[in-house]
Amino acid sequence: MLRIIRGAVDKMFDLAKQLIAIPSVTGSEREVGDFLAAQLAARGYRVDKQEVEHGRFNLIGFRVRPRVVFCTHIDTVPPVLPLREDDRFLYGRGACDTKGIIAAMLEAGDALRKEGIEEFGYLLVVGEETDGAGAKAANTLRWDSQFVIVGEPTGNKLARAQKGTFMADLKVQGRAAHSGYPEAGVSAIEGLWRVLTDCLNTDWGADALLGKGTFNIGVFNGGERCNIIPARAAASIMIRTIQPRANAEEKMRRIIDGRATMDVIGGADPQIMHIVDGFETTVVSFGSDVPYLGNLGKPLLIGPGSILDAHTANEKVAKDELVEGAALYERLARKLLA
């Protein structure tokens, strides 16, 4: 087990707080990336920066060729939330998604190296919260690793599986008219709403392991003023799928049936993860970088914190969970390297 003493706990909490205090909304990860590069170097790791696009880079840290890779993301969703803490929790943007996780992973690495175990490394990526650009770029590199431990807030349980995703923008073009004479126009809002209502009423499938597929209207807008029949309407939708992404796209096109245009934004198939005896397990409905990291080895998904706190105005992570998470990461790596 992880021999985590008070000084190590304080060091881990201090690192988590420093990370939370650095804004890193997707697209602006450079400052936190530079900070983490220095942290890894100070711990004696060789650090490589993989450019993803100008001013944005992944971090790769290792001492010897890794068989196990600890991987998580350094970007967050907006808006930035200030750091604060009390006796039980750290609060702020990224507290559980995933800056606390980074601190726990680095603490686990410190413990492993004290026992002479060095066949692990770190991959810290940009862009997870939007398009997975960092993970996709990392996957193009040559890896000889056997396992990749992806950090997301799972309540410190190994995820057996995660749902897939399908994201698209829908648009309807109507014809503007004076609202006193609606028969002279065609309401784009009403047209799009009929399409979306059909989507909401559709059965998106069920699976014994993954549960039910779900449909969400994340953004809806249209029209100009209340006295004008709206000539345009648009919506952004996301389906949490239990079937391959292609099935969801095909079903969407059948539902739309020419009544709207659909621009596919992205998505991924459902994922089945590697599990290890002796760890609690769960199934998650959220997405992660797991679908984009196939070249790094068998995927495992685990981390401290609750996904129900992520992306909220009160994002937090329990200090006890961070301590437990560091111990779990250390124990998990040991088993995988045995």
Side-chain angles (χ1 to χ4, degrees), residues 288-299:
S288 74
D289 276 333
V290 166
Y292 313 126
L293 296 169
N295 288 337
L296 278 78
K298 295 178 181 179

Side-chain angles (χ1 to χ4, degrees), residues 83-147:
L83 166 70
R84 58 189 179 89
E85 69 174 309
D86 57 28
D87 290 342
R88 294 183 57 202
F89 295 99
L90 300 178
Y91 302 84
R93 184 59 76 220
C96 68
D97 190 17
T98 54
K99 293 179 175 180
I101 286 172
I102 295 172
M105 284 181 164
L106 290 181
E107 177 54 40
D110 289 350
L112 289 166
R113 285 173 54 201
K114 286 176 182 176
E115 300 298 321
I117 299 171
E118 295 199 336
E119 289 181 289
F120 67 91
Y122 295 98
L123 171 62
L124 305 176
V125 300
V126 299
E128 188 274 342
E129 296 290 3
T130 54
D131 56 5
K136 292 173 184 175
N139 202 50
T140 65
L141 302 176
R142 178 176 176 176
W143 296 89
D144 295 321
S145 49
Q146 298 169 285
F147 302 96

Side-chain angles (χ1 to χ4, degrees), residues 163-228:
K163 288 182 179 179
T165 56
F166 176 79
M167 297 163 284
D169 290 337
L170 307 182
K171 294 179 182 178
V172 167
Q173 187 67 42
R175 185 172 67 249
H178 193 291
S179 65
Y181 303 88
E183 67 278 5
V186 177
S187 172
I189 288 178
E190 291 179 15
L192 182 54
W193 194 250
R194 283 191 288 269
V195 172
L196 292 171
T197 299
D198 289 345
C199 292
L200 288 167
N201 291 331
T202 294
D203 182 356
W204 293 100
D207 179 85
L209 179 62
L210 290 164
K212 292 184 64 175
T214 59
F215 182 91
N216 180 58
I217 305 166
V219 178
F220 186 97
N221 57 66
E224 303 295 337
R225 293 186 177 184
C226 63
N227 60 352
I228 302 173

Side-chain angles (χ1 to χ4, degrees), residues 199 204 239 248-256 262:
C199 292
W204 293 100
I239 306 168
E249 181 174 350
E250 181 183 357
K251 186 177 285 191
M252 279 296 298
R253 295 196 185 281
R254 290 201 306 268
I255 294 169
I256 292 170
M262 180 172 75

Side-chain angles (χ1 to χ4, degrees), residues 158 275-280 331-332 335:
L158 272 176
I275 58 171
V276 176
D277 290 342
F279 291 80
E280 287 189 79
R331 184 161 65 93
L332 187 57
K335 284 210 167 191

